[in-house]
Amino acid sequence: MAEIGFYHLTRTSVDQALPALLGRTLEAGRRAVLRCGDAQRVKAMDEALWRSTDPLWLPHGSAAMGHGALQPIWLTAGEDVPNGATYLFLIDGVNCPDAAAFERVFDLFDGGDPEAVEAARQRWTIAREAGHTLVYWRQQAKGWSRGGR
């Protein structure tokens, strides 16, 4: 079973929060897949990661660029994992039917959107019933605070 972290964004957008989390993933020697809601969002996240200044360099790719096996971070609107990633990042309320295939799953959601919060609660319930280890993280003025399991 995977450890699934629910990341409740309260002060920044996904585009602003993801670079630091992805940077730590690469520092830990892991590969990641970022699953987006649709192809337009993949393109927007690609642009956002190239513009990142902290960390300055986030090597990544998508189907538009190819060479999936070589990409440390793979961006997709599907369920493909061509880079052998063990970390999965979910945005846009994307569901994860294959969470057990990953070591860690990061589910980021907008705390200012009541529908996104409710959808995250539903995903939490499904993941708990499936037997995954759950962790709740809430964005603070600086960093994150860990909540109950």
Side-chain angles (χ1 to χ4, degrees), residues 70-122:
L70 301 176
Q71 304 295 344
I73 301 168
W74 183 252
L75 283 59
T76 183
E79 294 182 9
D80 50 318
V81 186
N83 64 347
T86 57
Y87 283 16
L88 172 64
F89 289 79
L90 304 170
I91 61 172
D92 306 329
V94 171
N95 289 312
C96 182
D98 60 341
F102 297 90
E103 181 181 333
R104 290 188 65 189
V105 177
F106 301 72
D107 186 321
L108 287 80
F109 63 96
D110 181 355
D113 178 348
E115 290 179 14
V117 172
E118 181 55 33
R121 286 184 181 128
Q122 291 173 8

Side-chain angles (χ1 to χ4, degrees), residues 121-135:
R121 286 184 181 128
Q122 291 173 8
R123 291 191 304 276
W124 175 282
T125 299
I126 291 166
R128 183 183 62 220
E129 290 171 356
H132 296 288
T133 301
L134 305 181
V135 182

Side-chain angles (χ1 to χ4, degrees), residues 54-66:
D54 188 23
L56 186 59
W57 173 245
L58 284 171
H60 66 278
S62 67
M65 297 165 218

Side-chain angles (χ1 to χ4, degrees), residues 5 12 15 37 46 51 78-79 82 86 89 92 105 110 112 137-138 142 147:
T12 64
D15 299 19
D46 171 48
R51 287 191 311 268
E79 294 182 9
T86 57
F89 289 79
D92 306 329
V105 177
D110 181 355
W137 294 94
R138 182 176 181 90
K142 205 169 192 184

